[in-house]
Amino acid sequence: MGALPDLTIRQFEYLVAVADADTWALAADRVGVSGSALSQGIAELERRLGVDLFDRDGRRRRLRTDAIPVLAHARQVLALTGDLADWAERMRTGSAGRLRLGMIDAAAIVHFGDQLRRFRAARTDVELRLRVEPSGPLLELLIAGDLDVVVCVAPPEPIPGLRTTPLLIDDVAVYAPGKTRPSSPATWGPWVLFPEGSHTRGAITRELRRLGAPIEVVAESHQPDVLREMVRLGTGWTALPRAQAEHGTGNLVEVQTLLRRELVAAVRDGTVRQPVVDDLIAAFTDAAKSTSRPSALR
Amino acid sequence: MGALPDLTIRQFEYLVAVADADTWALAADRVGVSGSALSQGIAELERRLGVDLFDRDGRRRRLRTDAIPVLAHARQVLALTGDLADWAERMRTGSAGRLRLGMIDAAAIVHFGDQLRRFRAARTDVELRLRVEPSGPLLELLIAGDLDVVVCVAPPEPIPGLRTTPLLIDDVAVYAPGKTRPSSPATWGPWVLFPEGSHTRGAITRELRRLGAPIEVVAESHQPDVLREMVRLGTGWTALPRAQAEHGTGNLVEVQTLLRRELVAAVRDGTVRQPVVDDLIAAFTDAAKSTSRPSALR
DNA sequence: TCGTTGGTGAAGCATCTCTGAACTATTCTC
DNA sequence: GAGAATAGTTCAGAGATGCTTCACCAACGA
């Protein structure tokens, strides 16, 4: 194997800055150097790789599609370096460190709310910051190194650079207002669903269509409790993760399981890890083991 | 998150060189630089991380045990950079590239010999280099970036930075000379086994001991065919992966399955991948799917 | 057409990193 | 234990690298 090119962290920072910002000047500003420095830095990166990374498009430059692997590499290395920097920080200060946790709403509230509260109380030495978002953004934040652990819906394909640990199954089921009797999918609806564009919404409508259910949507909300209440009030039917549907009290009729949904804990697959992360994941798996049985049995 | 330290590939090269070589002078020589440069380079790395990585031990320096994560990080980043360099090479030359494959003997000969030959014939554009070693060394070579794919025994724990794909089950069974009748473990032996120190040997003796079998070893060899022949000649009993035991012809009596052994394909979990690698793994999984059934059914 | 915007090149300066040599501390050898 | 050999560090200087400022070019918009 030939000698490796002497790439630097800064060059990778330049690359992702350019990829993320609309204009190079903005990117330069964001990394705190002059536009010229950025230009030269990128040129140097291209020179060392021996490959052109950008196409000219008028007076601006766009990352070539076949150069996307380099960008992904840059992101991964930057994230790993961030982990290393955190490790160094922990070594210097002796602190247990900071834990940036991302969760989808159901995980943060329904499934692991108790564990979270307990962990916070038990590990006051850890600065725990929670961020609640849908699965997609969470995974991107994790890849970019802005989060340390993420609890989200299992991605269909394994994602390079990430490692997932199964936590529990929380299937999405169809729910009807209180007085409804079971019947064929063709009679289901109208619907109260997550908004168009959400990942879960997409999966739900796809599955309903497959079952031959008519999809007339009369209301939309990102908030599961809003959907639940609307069903209770008889506004329509909905499809929700079972745990969220059953969270409150009230008369929802579960019609049938619609699709399988597995929650996992995801971390960057690096060599420098915070021990706290493993503790937290262990707490989650333990909790899931004891609580998911009933839901798995129904 | 604070600004990241501007680490360089070269600094990581220095670090692993120092970790791998007996003396710093030798390490310096290996990376092609003066001892002084190496010393200063490491010092700079420590300064940028803000952490001491080495303990003084007389006039030499040893990597501190709690600095091992940094070394692992360095190795991972170097391996990823190697992948990136290969990608750049492929982009420049337009070639399909070089594929450095590692396999344990059973995989190379018994399980996937045909697939290998077929792949070589079909993809003459790929420079395929095969290296046969035990699982442990193969995985280390993979981590160090000296191999691109490895077919080996599934490691007990997932290894950071690697991703495995299950291929097939090839259990280890106990075999006796032709005329032996089934009997209790206490009467088994004497044994003809893999040499002391090998990973499989360790697992085998551990399991035999658990079953209460006496472990008197009368011959040892790294070569499964040698062991097989010795059993045929009545020298003793052996424990072998089933596929290897049955590879030739002859009168071996399978006494019982001893331990589970799963073969997997392992790759670095990076963002820059050779498409050829996926093709090869696909060929292996396809082959395993069609051939492992009979062995799984017995 | 002219002004504006996005990006690149050149000169100058600061910093970094290498080499070679001098230097210190430890270990070996007798 | 003296003296030599060894392991690693420090220092000074040469050369490379990277950044900023300023000048420049090309594309876009009015």
Side-chain angles (χ1 to χ4, degrees):
Chain A
M1 159 154 28
L4 294 177
D6 186 17
L7 310 177
T8 71
I9 295 300
R10 171 132 312 146
Q11 286 170 339
F12 290 146
E13 286 178 329
Y14 287 180
L15 184 60
V16 308
V18 162
D20 287 344
D22 287 336
T23 132
W24 285 39
L26 195 68
D29 196 54
R30 206 171 291 173
V31 290
V33 296
S34 72
S36 180
L38 186 87
S39 178
Q40 295 175 60
I42 295 284
E44 183 64 19
L45 176 61
E46 287 180 311
R47 203 186 60 71
R48 289 189 186 173
L49 285 176
V51 174
D52 285 345
L53 302 177
F54 291 85
D55 271 332
R56 314 205 93 86
D57 172 27
R59 66 184 169 190
R60 53 183 50 205
R61 300 180 72 183
R62 244 200 295 270
L63 195 68
R64 302 173 58 159
T65 47
D66 54 3
I68 288 177
V70 187
L71 179 60
H73 172 91
R75 281 193 212 281
Q76 183 180 15
V77 172
L78 284 181
L80 292 175
T81 305
D83 291 341
L84 183 63
D86 285 351
W87 172 89
E89 170 78 14
R90 266 175 285 137
M91 291 293 286
R92 273 197 305 272
T93 64
S95 77
R98 153 202 67 163
L99 204 165
R100 298 162 304 171
L101 169 64
M103 296 180 116
I104 57 174
D105 51 2
I109 297 170
V110 184
H111 296 297
F112 302 114
D114 286 351
Q115 272 61 40
L116 261 185
R117 211 172 317 118
R118 217 168 299 156
F119 188 89
R120 261 223 171 79
R123 299 296 302 263
T124 49
D125 54 333
V126 179
E127 181 194 338
L128 180 62
R129 277 194 47 190
L130 175 63
R131 180 151 180 182
V132 177
E133 299 264 359
S135 295
L138 285 182
L139 289 171
E140 275 178 35
L141 287 165
L142 182 63
I143 290 171
D146 292 332
L147 291 176
D148 299 312
V149 209
V150 153
V151 177
C152 65
V153 178
E157 296 285 319
I159 299 174
L162 299 188
R163 181 178 299 269
T164 60
T165 311
L167 292 180
L168 53 82
I169 306 291
D170 180 20
D171 290 333
V172 173
V174 173
Y175 292 90
K179 296 176 248 305
T180 316
R181 293 278 132 247
S183 55
S184 98
T187 68
W188 292 357
W191 296 97
V192 179
L193 294 177
F194 289 123
E196 194 76 56
S198 110
H199 176 78
T200 310
R201 162 68 178 263
I204 288 172
T205 49
R206 206 172 314 119
E207 197 58 25
L208 286 177
R209 197 163 290 129
R210 210 180 57 78
L211 291 174
I215 304 179
E216 183 201 347
V217 179
V218 294
E220 296 183 329
S221 169
H222 263 303
Q223 293 169 266
D225 20 348
V226 170
L227 300 180
R228 211 171 48 220
E229 285 314 308
M230 286 185 149
V231 176
R232 286 200 178 111
L233 296 171
T235 311
W237 296 38
T238 193
L240 274 180
R242 194 169 270 131
Q244 277 179 325
E246 297 171 352
H247 191 223
T249 60
N251 49 348
L252 261 63
V253 174
E254 178 180 331
V255 179
Q256 112 175 34
T257 299
L258 188 63
L259 47 89
R260 186 179 185 75
R261 204 171 91 130
E262 182 181 21
L263 297 195
V264 299
V267 295
R268 274 185 299 284
D269 188 14
T271 45
V272 181
R273 4 188 15 165
Q274 295 190 61
V276 199
V277 169
D278 296 335
D279 296 348
L280 186 65
I281 294 182
F284 287 164
T285 47
D286 286 354
K289 229 177 285 168
S290 50
T291 66
S292 81
R293 285 258 173 64
S295 128
L297 284 179
R298 11 168 85 248
Chain B
M1 156 156 31
L4 294 178
D6 187 16
L7 310 177
T8 71
I9 294 300
R10 172 134 312 144
Q11 286 170 338
F12 290 145
E13 286 177 327
Y14 288 178
L15 184 60
V16 308
V18 161
D20 287 344
D22 288 336
T23 135
W24 286 42
L26 195 69
D29 196 54
R30 206 171 290 174
V31 291
V33 88
S34 73
S36 171
L38 187 86
S39 178
Q40 296 176 60
I42 295 284
E44 182 66 19
L45 176 61
E46 287 179 311
R47 202 187 59 72
R48 289 190 187 172
L49 285 176
V51 174
D52 285 346
L53 301 177
F54 292 85
D55 271 333
R56 315 205 93 86
D57 171 28
R59 68 184 169 190
R60 52 183 48 205
R61 301 180 71 184
R62 245 201 295 269
L63 194 70
R64 302 174 58 161
T65 49
D66 54 3
I68 287 177
V70 187
L71 179 60
H73 172 92
R75 280 193 214 282
Q76 184 180 15
V77 171
L78 284 182
L80 292 175
T81 306
D83 291 341
L84 183 63
D86 284 351
W87 172 89
E89 170 78 13
R90 267 176 283 136
M91 290 294 284
R92 274 198 303 272
T93 66
S95 77
R98 154 202 65 165
L99 205 166
R100 297 161 303 170
L101 169 64
M103 296 179 116
I104 58 173
D105 51 2
I109 297 171
V110 184
H111 296 297
F112 302 114
D114 286 351
Q115 271 59 42
L116 261 185
R117 211 172 316 119
R118 216 167 300 156
F119 188 88
R120 261 221 171 80
R123 300 295 303 262
T124 49
D125 53 333
V126 179
E127 182 194 337
L128 180 62
R129 278 193 48 189
L130 175 63
R131 180 152 181 181
V132 177
E133 300 263 0
S135 295
L138 285 182
L139 289 170
E140 276 177 34
L141 287 165
L142 183 64
I143 290 170
D146 292 332
L147 290 176
D148 299 312
V149 209
V150 154
V151 176
C152 64
V153 178
E157 297 285 318
I159 298 174
L162 298 188
R163 182 178 298 269
T164 59
T165 312
L167 292 180
L168 53 81
I169 306 292
D170 180 18
D171 289 333
V172 173
V174 173
Y175 292 91
K179 297 176 246 304
T180 317
R181 291 277 133 247
S183 55
S184 100
T187 69
W188 291 358
W191 295 97
V192 179
L193 293 176
F194 290 122
E196 195 77 56
S198 111
H199 176 77
T200 311
R201 161 69 178 263
I204 288 172
T205 49
R206 206 172 314 120
E207 197 58 25
L208 286 178
R209 196 163 291 128
R210 209 180 58 77
L211 291 174
I215 305 180
E216 182 202 347
V217 179
V218 293
E220 296 185 329
S221 169
H222 262 304
Q223 294 170 265
D225 18 350
V226 171
L227 300 180
R228 211 171 47 222
E229 285 314 309
M230 286 187 149
V231 176
R232 287 204 177 107
L233 295 172
T235 311
W237 296 40
T238 194
L240 273 180
R242 194 169 272 131
Q244 278 179 326
E246 299 170 353
H247 190 224
T249 61
N251 49 347
L252 263 63
V253 174
E254 178 179 332
V255 178
Q256 109 173 38
T257 299
L258 188 63
L259 47 89
R260 186 179 186 73
R261 203 171 91 131
E262 182 181 22
L263 298 195
V264 299
V267 296
R268 274 185 299 283
D269 189 14
T271 45
V272 180
R273 3 188 16 164
Q274 294 190 61
V276 200
V277 169
D278 296 334
D279 296 347
L280 187 65
I281 294 183
F284 287 164
T285 46
D286 286 354
K289 230 177 284 167
S290 50
T291 67
S292 79
R293 286 257 172 64
S295 128
L297 285 179
R298 4 170 90 248

